[in-house]
């Protein structure tokens, strides 16, 4: 009697995932492991068992690529339909695109930078679990770069300020703020980079940008940006999970990792928070139709979800909320107004336009910032409205002092005193360096040898490295063309917008006649 062979046992989903990912890893036999993975030893982090890394999504290359390809098909169908139907005329108004110019110039190159460094992590992290997670995120970031460029390329046909965005990202003064954030992260070690991006960029900055701002895009008739935003949001949730898993993994591996991770959280919270200053004014000032104030978004996504959720979980490991978090909370009533007022005064040297908020916008700002707008900022706009009536639109022709760390102009005020500018001074090797806040001063004094090397646009202009000594010289070097910046009312974009809508109205009337 012959016994039939047993049918092969079907692998569980977890076993199949491990066979396709972790089981493909191997131990080096003729090269020392420290020579294969040298980059994870110099930060002081101790890892005892890489197999403890958990993969909550359990993606394989096959499942990942199929899922992303399906999302791309849907996105590009929307983009094609929007372009063919002249959808740019369905926006609330052309001034809305100032926010999208900032998005293209400031955010899209960061996605590419993230792609580069997650590819680096996919090679240099010791464990197969985090290596594969980093590989997936690297591909995600490249996809986001490409889809953002495609999403916004249609507007480049009709409006100024969308061209030459990569060169502008490297050169223009206000874009040095997001660029310096990633330059800082890219020059850190692999574990610090994971905290910088997985915690600060994904949990703090991306959450505050993608969710409320993409809703704002929908509210202002920008179907492509809304579609891209929600297409990317499932990726962002995976990225945030990777960041949280990275933090917990490091904390569980060794108690000696806790103070190192805490210091990185302190640093990268403040670095990410300072970049959100640009997002704050986008929500409150650059969207013609408002969907959520910066104050509401900050309270919901940071105070409630991060402080009330994430840090409650991390307290189990001995992690406290970031240093200087009280200073950030104190600024939620004033941040967007201070930043937009500065951008308004310097928009002649920018690739976007600005305008005095109209009566409806000021009413909305007054209702959402009951303790500050009418008292502190409405008088500024009332005075500026009188200047414009008298033919004297206000631009600052000088150059602002920049913070040595975040590179934002020194526009922020003392904690608890919105009428006094905040300026901190530190001395390193006999030279004085200026920072904008307690947070940036602490970061500088912790790693001064790193931040003394900062490429500060204002300093570079004074040193003659930016095309010449005059504003036109610098704007030419920036790649900013006539009509890109300045005042929105009467700008090239505004005139084109009015002409196209007038032509559409006349065409409609003629067809009915």
């Amino acid at each position: 009697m012959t016994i039939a062979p047993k049918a092969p046992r079907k692998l569980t989903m977890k076993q199949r995932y491990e066979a396709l990912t972790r089981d493909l890893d191997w131990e080096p036999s003729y090269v020392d492991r420290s020579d294969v993975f040298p980059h994870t030893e110099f930060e002081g982090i101790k890892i005892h068992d890489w197999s403890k890394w958990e993969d909550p999504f359990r993606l394989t290359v096959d499942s990942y690529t199929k899922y992303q390809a399906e999302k791309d098909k849907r996105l590009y169908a929307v983009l094609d339909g929007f372009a063919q139907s002249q959808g740019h005329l369905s926006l609330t108004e052309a001034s809305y695109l100032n926010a999208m110019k900032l998005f293209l110039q400031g955010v899209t190159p960061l996605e590419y930078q993230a792609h580069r460094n997650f590819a680096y992590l996919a090679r240099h992290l010791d464990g197969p679990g985090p290596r594969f997670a980093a590989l997936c995120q690297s591909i995600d970031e490249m996809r986001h770069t490409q889809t953002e460029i495609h999403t916004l390329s249609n507007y480049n046909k009709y409006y100024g300020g969308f061209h030459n965005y990569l060169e502008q990202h490297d050169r223009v003064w206000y874009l040095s703020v997001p660029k310096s954030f990633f330059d800082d992260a890219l020059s850190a070690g692999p574990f610090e980079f994971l905290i910088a991006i997985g915690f600060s960029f994904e949990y703090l900055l991306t959450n505050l940008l993608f969710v409320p701002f993409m809703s704002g895009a929908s509210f202002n008739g920008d179907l492509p940006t809304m579609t891209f935003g929600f297409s990317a949001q499932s990726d962002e949730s995976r990225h945030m999970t990777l960041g949280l898993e990275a933090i917990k993994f490091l904390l569980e591996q060794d108690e000696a990792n806790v103070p190192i991770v805490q210091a990185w959280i302190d640093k990268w919270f403040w670095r990410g928070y300072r970049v959100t200053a640009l997002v704050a004014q986008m929500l409150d000032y650059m969207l013609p139709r408002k969907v959520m104030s910066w104050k509401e978004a900050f309270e919901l996504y940071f105070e409630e979800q991060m402080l009330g959720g994430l840090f409650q979980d991390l307290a189990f490991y001995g992690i406290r909320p970031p240093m200087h978090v009280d200073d950030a909370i104190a600024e939620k009533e004033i941040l967007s107004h201070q930043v937009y007022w500065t951008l308004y005064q310097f928009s002649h040297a920018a690739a976007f336009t600005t305008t005095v908020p109209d009566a409806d916008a000021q009413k909305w700002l007054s209702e959402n910032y009951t303790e500050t707008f009418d008292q502190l900022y409405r008088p500024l706009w009332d005075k500026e409205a009188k200047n414009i009536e008298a033919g004297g639109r206000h631009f600052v022709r000088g150059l602002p002092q920049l913070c040595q760390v975040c590179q934002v102009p020194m526009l922020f005020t003392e904690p608890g005193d919105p009428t006094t500018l905040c300026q901190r001074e530190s001395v390193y090797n006999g030279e004085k360096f200026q920072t904008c806040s307690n947070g940036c001063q602490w970061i500088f004094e912790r790693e001064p040898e790193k931040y003394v090397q900062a490429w500060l646009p204002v300093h570079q202009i004074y040193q003659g490295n930016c095309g010449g000594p005059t504003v036109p010289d610098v704007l030419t070097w920036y790649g900013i063309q006539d009509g890109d910046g300045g005042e929105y009312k009467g700008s090239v974009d505004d005139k084109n917008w009015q002409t196209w809508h007038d032509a559409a109205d006349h065409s409609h009337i003629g067809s009915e006649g």
Side-chain angles (χ1 to χ4, degrees), residues 231-454:
S231 172
Q233 194 55 40
S234 59
D235 300 335
E236 302 300 347
S237 64
R238 190 169 64 252
H239 300 172
M240 287 188 284
T241 303
L242 172 60
L244 180 58
E245 174 56 33
I247 293 174
K248 289 185 175 180
F249 174 73
L250 296 181
L251 297 174
E252 290 171 352
Q253 283 293 303
D254 199 292
E255 288 186 4
N257 295 341
V258 175
I260 300 174
V261 172
Q262 180 69 66
W264 288 338
I265 288 175
D266 291 340
K267 170 187 174 180
W268 288 103
F269 159 72
W270 192 258
R271 289 242 56 192
Y273 169 69
R274 271 295 178 247
V275 178
T276 64
L278 292 173
V279 180
Q281 63 83 31
M282 289 162 71
L283 284 173
D284 283 348
Y285 283 89
M286 286 189 167
L287 296 182
R289 289 182 186 168
K290 321 295 185 188
V291 66
M292 175 183 284
S293 70
W294 164 254
K295 178 183 173 182
E296 289 177 298
F298 185 80
E299 289 174 341
L300 175 60
Y301 295 107
F302 177 70
E303 291 187 62
E304 291 184 26
Q305 293 189 4
M306 287 193 69
L307 286 184
L310 174 64
F311 281 98
Q312 294 293 323
D313 294 339
L314 294 179
F316 172 78
Y317 300 96
I319 294 294
R320 53 164 172 75
M323 289 176 62
H324 309 111
V325 70
D326 291 338
D327 289 353
I329 293 173
E331 283 186 345
K332 65 185 178 185
E333 282 273 355
I334 60 178
L335 181 65
S336 65
H337 317 298
Q338 293 178 341
V339 175
Y340 187 76
W341 176 245
T342 300
L343 294 179
Y344 177 86
Q345 297 175 88
F346 288 94
S347 62
H348 63 290
F352 54 80
T353 56
T354 55
T355 191
V356 174
D358 61 23
D360 288 340
Q362 292 196 41
K363 180 175 181 291
W364 183 87
L365 289 165
S366 176
E367 291 170 349
N368 282 273
Y369 295 94
T370 55
E371 299 180 14
T372 55
F373 182 77
D374 288 337
Q375 299 90 322
L376 298 171
Y377 306 107
R378 187 186 290 274
L380 293 176
W381 296 118
D382 288 345
K383 182 178 180 180
E384 181 59 12
K386 293 178 182 178
N387 288 339
I388 292 174
E389 287 178 10
R393 206 283 196 190
H394 172 58
F395 290 116
V396 174
R397 296 295 178 178
L399 299 178
Q401 188 175 28
L402 303 181
C403 174
Q404 190 73 25
V405 174
C406 70
Q407 304 197 18
V408 178
M410 304 285 264
L411 59 93
F412 304 106
T413 50
E414 288 286 351
D417 181 5
T419 63
T420 303
L421 284 175
C422 181
Q423 185 167 345
R424 301 289 183 264
E425 185 176 283
S426 301
V427 178
Y428 179 70
N429 285 345
E431 187 176 355
K432 294 179 180 179
F433 295 90
Q434 311 297 325
T435 46
C436 70
S437 56
N438 296 325
C440 283
Q441 184 183 38
W442 177 80
I443 292 170
F444 175 85
E445 292 181 349
R446 184 171 170 267
E447 301 175 275
E449 65 283 348
K450 187 172 193 179
Y451 296 100
V452 297
Q453 303 176 59

Side-chain angles (χ1 to χ4, degrees), residues 77-112:
V78 171
L79 299 186
D80 289 343
F82 189 83
Q84 292 174 18
S85 62
Q86 297 290 298
H88 68 100
L89 297 179
S90 65
L91 300 174
T92 47
E93 59 177 82
S95 66
Y96 158 81
L97 290 170
N98 287 312
M100 300 320 301
K101 294 172 189 178
L102 261 180
F103 191 101
L104 177 68
Q105 299 156 356
V107 177
T108 299
L110 302 188
E111 305 271 21
Y112 182 75

Side-chain angles (χ1 to χ4, degrees), residues 58-77:
R58 293 180 183 165
L59 289 173
T60 62
V61 171
D62 180 60
S63 62
Y64 170 79
T65 52
K66 286 180 179 177
Y67 178 60
Q68 298 296 71
E70 184 62 32
K71 290 200 299 184
D72 273 1
K73 286 180 185 178
R74 296 175 183 177
L75 172 63
Y76 284 102

